[in-house]
């Protein structure tokens, strides 16, 4: 019972084709491509990360 799958652009660059493949496995889940820098990188990017996370939440 998976509700949400986030496919990060880093460290592996997931693409739309991966999203389509996973949709067949998890038809009821929302599958999103997300900016991996916001999830994986530290430092100055964290300043922008919280606004990015809020924007993602609005798309749920």
């Amino acid at each position: 019972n998976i509700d949400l799958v986030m496919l990060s652009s880093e460290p592996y660059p997931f693409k739309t084709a991966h999203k389509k493949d996973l949709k067949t496995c998890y038809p009821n889940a929302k599958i999103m491509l997300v900016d991996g820098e916001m999830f994986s990188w530290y430092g100055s990017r964290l300043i922008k990360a919280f606004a990015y996370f809020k924007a993602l939440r609005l798309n749920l």
Side-chain angles (χ1 to χ4, degrees):
N1 293 333
I2 294 176
D3 296 323
L4 177 64
V5 176
M6 292 184 181
L7 301 175
S8 180
S9 61
E10 294 197 20
Y12 180 83
F14 286 100
K15 303 291 183 197
T16 303
H18 298 107
K19 186 176 171 180
K20 290 177 185 175
D21 290 341
L22 284 172
K23 194 65 176 172
T24 62
C25 298
Y26 307 108
N28 298 322
K30 175 149 179 114
I31 301 174
M32 302 172 70
L33 296 172
V34 298
D35 184 349
E37 287 187 17
M38 297 299 174
F39 287 89
S40 304
W41 292 39
Y42 54 88
S44 62
R45 285 175 184 79
L46 288 178
I47 294 169
K48 297 178 182 178
F50 293 109
Y52 180 75
F53 297 154
K54 286 180 185 179
L56 284 179
R57 186 174 176 196
L58 294 176
N59 291 323
L60 294 177

